Amino acid sequence: MTSRQAARLLADTPAIADAHFRAEAEPYHPRLRPNGYLNLGTAENRLLWDAVGERLRRLAAGLTEEAVRYAPLHGTSVLRERVAALLSDACRAPLAAEELVVVSGATAALDVVATALCDPGEAIVVPAPYYGAFDTDLAGRSGARLLPAPLSAADGFRLTARAVDRALKRARRAGVVVRAVALSSPSNPVGEVHPPDVLAEVLRVVREHDVDLVADEIYAHAVFGPRPFTSALDPSVNPDWADRTHLVWGFAKDFALPGLKVGVLHTRHPGVLAAARALAYFAPVSTATQDLLARMLADRAWVSGVLAEGRARLAASYEHAVACLTEWGIPFVPAEAGFSVWLDLGRWLPGADAADGSAAGFAAEERLRRGLFEQARVNVLPGAAFHCPKPGWFRLCHTVDAPLVAEAVRRVAAHLRTQGAAEKYAEKYAETNAETNGARP
Amino acid sequence: MTSRQAARLLADTPAIADAHFRAEAEPYHPRLRPNGYLNLGTAENRLLWDAVGERLRRLAAGLTEEAVRYAPLHGTSVLRERVAALLSDACRAPLAAEELVVVSGATAALDVVATALCDPGEAIVVPAPYYGAFDTDLAGRSGARLLPAPLSAADGFRLTARAVDRALKRARRAGVVVRAVALSSPSNPVGEVHPPDVLAEVLRVVREHDVDLVADEIYAHAVFGPRPFTSALDPSVNPDWADRTHLVWGFAKDFALPGLKVGVLHTRHPGVLAAARALAYFAPVSTATQDLLARMLADRAWVSGVLAEGRARLAASYEHAVACLTEWGIPFVPAEAGFSVWLDLGRWLPGADAADGSAAGFAAEERLRRGLFEQARVNVLPGAAFHCPKPGWFRLCHTVDAPLVAEAVRRVAAHLRTQGAAEKYAEKYAETNAETNGARP
C-alpha cells in the first residue's frame, strides 16, 4: 500500500538515532544505575546550557502575537539578517540575508540543497569517513547517490584534494553524473579544521570538474585547536566559485541547541536559491522559534561571549577525554574542532590485524561495536557508520559531564582487554600514536 | 545547474502566499493608511490570541534544558499522547499516541502522507473546489497528481459520494493509477460540515475502489453551525476502512497558532506509519515548541474553554460577515465551519453570464480578482485557486477585526457596481440566495 519512494527511504533509516534512544532510555548513574548506558554516540553538546539557558528562558517569555502568525516560509527577514551577520564574521565573507533560507534543521537544509542540485540517480562525492547521516540527509529524499572519496588512515584521514579529484575522475569514467562534492568543515567525525590551502585546492578541483560544493559548516564556531576556521566561502580560498558553493549551518552545535531544529542554507546561486525557497515550504521553522533566536542574536557582545565560552569548554572537555584515552592506552587522531575523538581500535578486531577494508574486517568491527554496546554498555559509533575506508575506527563524543567520559573510556579499555589481545595493546598504541599525533598538528 | 525535480516544484509555487505578503506589507488603517490593503485572502484566525497568549507566554518561560535537546524526530511521546487525547474526543474514535507523527506544519503532514502513498505520476482524487495549497502540499514533492472531482454549484458545492465515484471511474477508464481520495473536513473553502451519511457513502466508495482516504481535519474544532463535526475515523461512518484512512490535523486553525508550524498525521497503517516516521526526519518540530504545546494541552479544562470560546467568536465573526454581505447584496453559500465565506460573484463576470467553466469564464474571474486587489485593494482568493469547476466564486476570510470585514465588503460591493451590471445585482442576489441558503441548513 505504501509507495516505492517511501519503501526506499525506509530501507535507509539511520542507525544512529536507534542506539541514541536505547542508550538514553537507560542512562548510567554512579549510584542509581551503575550499569546503565553511557551514550557517547551522539554529537550533542551538553556543556553550554548554563551559559545560554537563563537568557533563552527570559527571551521565550517575550512571545508575541506576531510570533504565532504566518511569516515568510523561508525564514523571517530579521532572523536571516542576524544569522547573515554572524556567519559573515565566522566565514570572513559577506553573506546577505536574502541569500539565506531557514528550514527545520540542518538535515532539512542538506535535503533541500541536494534536491535542488540533483535528480534521482545523480551523484554527490563525499570525502570519507563522513558524517553518516549524510546518507539520509543528502540522498534519502533527493534520490541522489553518495560516492565516498576515501581518505587515508595513514595520515589520520586528512582531507586532500587528490582524494576528491580521484573520486570525481572514477565517477566520470564509470559514466556517473556527479553534481556536487559535499564535506563537513570542520570535519566530522575526525575533527579536522581544514587548512586554507587544502580548501583552495578542493575548490580548484570542483571548479575543474564543473560541480558544486556543499560545505556543511555547522561546527564553524566549535574550533578549539590553534588553527582558525576557514569557510569554503572565504574569498582567499574561493575567489571564483562562490555562486557554486552552498553552505549549511544551524544552531545545533555552536549554540548547543539541537532540539530547536533550526538549519540554514546559504547560496548565491539564483536557481538553487529559488528552489530552496520553494522546498522550505515543506520544512518551515516556527515563527516563534525564529523570533526567539533573532532576539538572542541581537546582543552581539553576549553572543561572542557565549561562543568563546563554548570553545573554552570544548577545549577542556577534549583535553580531559584525550587524557583518559592516553591513560588507558587507546590510540586516536588528535582533533582541533567538533565534539568527538576518532579512536583507532583496529588492533582489537579479532582476526583482522591486516584490516584492509574487507567485509570480514567490518564484520569484526560490528562485533566489537556490539560488544561495547551490550557488554560495556557504551554507545560509540563504528567507522562503518561513517563509511570509513578502513575498519576498526570509532567516534567517541566527549561533550557530556567529564566523569561520564572517564567511566566510558575505562569501560572501553576494560572491554578491549577481554578481547584477548592484551599484549598487542601497548605495542600498537606506541606505533599508532607516533603516526597520527605526528601527522595532525 | 538546478535539478529537474526542483524546476518542477518552482513552476508550481502557490500564488496564495504572494498575495498574502503583498497585502500584509501595506495594511489598511482607517486613519494612517485608509487606502491600504484588506487581506481577507488568508485563513488566519486573528480572534483568539487574547484567550491564548498570556498562558502561552507563561508556559514559554518554562523552557528547560531537556527541551533544547534531541528528541524523537516524529514527535515527543508526551505531545503525541496529549494530541491523541484531544483528537480522540473530537473524532469520537480512539486515536493512539503511537499512531501519530508530528511534523513542521500541516503542509508537511500532507506531503508525508502523499509521499508514503504515491509514486510520481500516481493520482489523488480531490473533490473540488478544494484548498488550493493541496496542489503543492500533496503533489509538489511527492510527484503525485491531483484529479479534481467537481462538485455542483447548484447545491452550493456540497460533498457527494457520487462525484468522488465518478472521478475514480473516469481515472480508471483513463488508465490512471489512483492511490487515494483527499478532502478537507470540514470543507475549505466552502465551510461545509460533512454530514455523517455523506462521509459513510464516501468511505464506501473509496473502499469499493480500494484506495486510501486522506482527511484533512484541521478545522475539526472550528465548527459554529448546528451540525456537529464527524471525523472520517468515527466508527459510525467508518466501520472497516480505518487503517486506510489517514487524518491530518494541526495547531494552526483550532488554536489560531499558524506560526508555530505544528502538523500531525494520524495513521493506523503500519507501512504508512513507518514511512511517515522516516519522512518526519526531514521536517521535525522543535522539541521546545512540542514541550510548550504539550504543557498547554495538559490543562484539559482550559483547553475546552478556549476551544468553546473560539467557536463562539467564529460564530459571531461569521454572523457579522454575512450580515455585511446581505446588506450589500452579495450572494454566498452559508457556512457551518471554518474561517471563510464562499462568495458567488459570477453575475459580475463581464460577458460570462453563462459561466460554464470555460477558459473565458476563468479569464474574466481573474480580471475581477485583479480589479478587487489593485483597485478595491481587497485580497480575496478566486475560485480558480481552489480548482472550482465554475468561474466567479471567491473565498473571503472573515476572522479578522469586524470593522475590517465591513470595510472590505463595502469595497467589494462598490467595485462590483463599477462593473456596469448594477441592475443584475439585486435580481441575481435574490435568485442565488434562494438557491443556496435553502440548500445548506
Side-chain angles (χ1 to χ4, degrees):
Chain A
M1 225 50 64
T2 46
S3 64
R4 288 185 303 277
Q5 60 183 342
R8 194 185 62 208
L9 193 62
L10 273 175
D12 213 51
T13 306
I16 299 184
D18 274 7
H20 171 80
F21 291 112
R22 271 186 68 192
E24 289 294 306
E26 271 185 72
Y28 164 79
H29 185 283
R31 206 163 31 79
L32 302 175
R33 201 189 278 116
N35 194 32
Y37 284 104
L38 289 153
N39 185 16
L40 305 189
T42 309
E44 185 170 61
N45 184 349
R46 298 200 169 175
L47 305 174
L48 206 56
W49 177 249
D50 71 299
V52 174
E54 196 192 318
R55 177 168 293 229
L56 219 56
R57 251 194 308 272
R58 186 154 47 76
L59 293 172
L63 182 70
T64 62
E65 179 171 11
E66 183 91 15
V68 303
R69 286 196 184 161
Y70 287 117
L73 291 168
H74 63 283
T76 64
S77 58
V78 56
L79 180 61
R80 286 184 288 109
E81 271 157 30
R82 289 181 187 162
V83 169
L86 180 81
L87 294 184
S88 294
D89 281 0
C91 298
R92 293 190 299 274
L95 276 64
E98 57 270 26
E99 298 159 354
L100 291 177
V101 171
V102 176
V103 288
S104 58
T107 282
L110 290 163
D111 170 47
V112 161
V113 69
T115 303
L117 294 174
C118 303
D119 278 306
E122 296 176 346
I124 300 175
V125 163
V126 194
Y130 63 77
Y131 172 53
F134 273 171
D135 288 330
T136 308
D137 299 358
L138 289 170
R141 283 209 78 171
S142 72
R145 38 192 287 221
L146 303 194
L147 302 179
L151 304 173
S152 163
D155 66 356
F157 303 102
R158 302 202 312 191
L159 176 64
T160 66
R162 204 161 144 254
V164 174
D165 186 49
R166 213 183 281 155
L168 285 164
K169 283 183 176 143
R170 196 165 44 237
R172 174 168 298 172
R173 279 194 306 271
V176 177
V177 177
V178 178
R179 290 289 176 203
V181 169
L183 48 85
S184 301
S185 174
S187 81
N188 175 9
V190 176
E192 182 188 21
V193 174
H194 301 307
D197 58 326
V198 172
L199 286 171
E201 280 168 49
V202 168
L203 276 151
R204 269 196 294 278
V205 167
V206 297
R207 187 172 186 272
E208 236 174 70
H209 287 269
D210 193 28
V211 299
D212 289 43
L213 180 69
V214 175
D216 179 353
E217 300 190 346
I218 196 162
Y219 289 101
H221 296 89
V223 173
F224 50 80
R227 179 158 38 211
F229 168 68
T230 301
S231 170
L233 217 54
D234 187 317
S236 75
V237 300
N238 189 347
D240 53 9
W241 209 240
D243 69 341
R244 301 285 298 277
T245 300
H246 318 286
L247 301 190
V248 168
W249 184 78
F251 286 84
K253 308 301 183 187
D254 291 349
F255 288 95
L257 298 170
L260 296 196
K261 298 284 156 226
V262 180
V264 169
L265 172 68
H266 173 272
T267 181
R268 292 201 182 124
H269 189 282
V272 174
L273 182 61
R277 286 183 176 178
L279 287 160
Y281 181 79
F282 298 93
V285 174
S286 163
T287 315
T289 303
Q290 294 190 65
D291 176 59
L292 174 70
L293 293 174
R295 285 183 290 130
M296 182 185 86
L297 292 183
D299 185 343
R300 300 290 298 268
W302 179 85
V303 167
S304 296
V306 160
L307 293 173
E309 180 64 26
R311 280 189 293 269
R313 292 186 188 186
L314 271 185
S317 175
Y318 171 75
E319 291 305 334
H320 171 258
V322 301
C324 296
L325 292 165
T326 305
E327 184 191 336
W328 290 101
I330 298 174
F332 58 89
V333 177
E336 309 166 271
F339 298 173
S340 58
V341 194
W342 190 229
L343 310 183
D344 179 7
L345 309 186
R347 168 56 47 114
W348 292 277
L349 295 189
D353 291 61
D356 57 354
S358 67
F362 284 105
E365 175 184 280
E366 173 56 18
R367 277 196 301 279
L368 179 54
R369 183 200 70 78
R370 217 174 304 135
L372 288 168
F373 190 75
E374 306 293 351
Q375 290 158 45
R377 296 173 81 81
V378 173
N379 181 35
V380 283
L381 297 182
F386 302 91
H387 296 262
C388 189
K390 205 181 156 185
W393 292 79
F394 285 80
R395 189 186 74 169
L396 180 147
C397 295
H398 56 79
T399 48
V400 295
D401 284 347
L404 301 185
V405 175
E407 170 69 6
V409 174
R410 190 194 63 74
R411 287 192 195 174
V412 169
H415 183 80
L416 294 177
R417 286 238 187 68
T418 68
Q419 299 305 294
E423 69 292 346
K424 295 176 186 168
Y425 200 95
E427 169 202 344
K428 177 69 181 180
Y429 172 59
E431 185 188 309
T432 313
N433 264 22
E435 239 174 57
T436 52
N437 286 348
R440 301 288 302 276
Chain B
M1 225 51 63
T2 46
S3 64
R4 289 185 302 277
Q5 60 183 344
R8 195 184 62 208
L9 193 63
L10 273 174
D12 214 50
T13 307
I16 299 184
D18 274 7
H20 172 81
F21 291 112
R22 270 184 70 192
E24 288 294 306
E26 272 186 70
Y28 165 79
H29 185 284
R31 205 162 32 78
L32 302 174
R33 201 189 278 117
N35 194 32
Y37 283 103
L38 289 154
N39 184 17
L40 305 189
T42 309
E44 186 171 59
N45 184 349
R46 298 200 169 175
L47 305 174
L48 206 57
W49 176 250
D50 71 299
V52 174
E54 196 191 319
R55 177 167 294 229
L56 219 56
R57 251 194 307 272
R58 186 154 46 77
L59 293 172
L63 182 70
T64 62
E65 179 171 12
E66 184 90 14
V68 303
R69 285 196 184 161
Y70 287 116
L73 291 168
H74 63 283
T76 64
S77 58
V78 55
L79 180 61
R80 285 184 288 109
E81 272 157 28
R82 290 181 186 162
V83 169
L86 179 82
L87 294 184
S88 294
D89 281 359
C91 297
R92 293 191 297 276
L95 275 65
E98 56 270 27
E99 298 160 353
L100 292 177
V101 171
V102 175
V103 288
S104 59
T107 283
L110 290 163
D111 169 46
V112 161
V113 70
T115 302
L117 294 173
C118 303
D119 278 305
E122 296 176 347
I124 300 175
V125 162
V126 194
Y130 64 78
Y131 172 54
F134 273 171
D135 289 331
T136 308
D137 298 358
L138 289 170
R141 282 208 80 172
S142 72
R145 37 192 289 218
L146 303 194
L147 302 179
L151 303 173
S152 162
D155 66 357
F157 303 103
R158 302 202 311 191
L159 176 65
T160 66
R162 201 159 147 257
V164 174
D165 186 49
R166 211 183 283 156
L168 285 164
K169 284 184 175 141
R170 195 166 44 236
R172 175 168 297 175
R173 279 196 304 273
V176 177
V177 177
V178 178
R179 290 289 177 204
V181 169
L183 48 86
S184 301
S185 173
S187 82
N188 175 11
V190 176
E192 182 188 20
V193 174
H194 301 307
D197 58 324
V198 172
L199 286 171
E201 281 168 48
V202 168
L203 276 151
R204 269 197 292 279
V205 167
V206 297
R207 188 173 186 272
E208 236 174 68
H209 287 269
D210 193 29
V211 300
D212 290 43
L213 179 69
V214 175
D216 179 353
E217 300 190 346
I218 196 161
Y219 288 101
H221 296 90
V223 173
F224 50 80
R227 177 155 42 210
F229 168 67
T230 301
S231 170
L233 217 53
D234 188 317
S236 76
V237 301
N238 189 348
D240 54 8
W241 209 240
D243 71 340
R244 302 285 298 278
T245 300
H246 319 285
L247 300 190
V248 168
W249 183 76
F251 286 84
K253 309 300 182 188
D254 292 348
F255 288 95
L257 298 170
L260 296 195
K261 300 283 157 226
V262 181
V264 169
L265 173 68
H266 174 271
T267 181
R268 292 201 181 124
H269 190 282
V272 174
L273 182 61
R277 285 183 176 179
L279 287 159
Y281 182 79
F282 298 93
V285 174
S286 163
T287 316
T289 303
Q290 295 189 66
D291 176 60
L292 174 70
L293 293 175
R295 285 183 289 130
M296 183 185 86
L297 292 183
D299 185 344
R300 299 291 297 270
W302 180 83
V303 167
S304 296
V306 160
L307 293 173
E309 180 64 27
R311 280 189 292 270
R313 291 186 189 185
L314 271 185
S317 175
Y318 172 75
E319 291 306 334
H320 171 259
V322 301
C324 296
L325 292 165
T326 305
E327 184 192 336
W328 290 100
I330 297 173
F332 58 89
V333 178
E336 309 166 270
F339 299 172
S340 58
V341 194
W342 190 230
L343 311 182
D344 178 7
L345 309 186
R347 169 57 47 114
W348 292 279
L349 294 190
D353 290 61
D356 58 353
S358 67
F362 283 105
E365 175 184 279
E366 174 54 19
R367 278 195 300 278
L368 178 54
R369 184 200 69 78
R370 216 174 305 135
L372 288 168
F373 191 74
E374 305 293 351
Q375 290 159 44
R377 295 172 83 81
V378 174
N379 181 35
V380 283
L381 297 182
F386 302 91
H387 296 263
C388 189
K390 203 179 155 188
W393 292 79
F394 285 80
R395 188 187 74 169
L396 180 146
C397 295
H398 57 78
T399 48
V400 295
D401 284 347
L404 302 184
V405 175
E407 170 69 6
V409 174
R410 189 194 64 72
R411 287 192 195 174
V412 169
H415 184 80
L416 294 177
R417 286 241 185 65
T418 67
Q419 300 305 294
E423 69 291 346
K424 295 176 185 169
Y425 200 95
E427 167 202 343
K428 177 69 183 178
Y429 171 59
E431 185 188 309
T432 313
N433 265 22
E435 239 174 57
T436 53
N437 287 350
R440 302 287 304 274

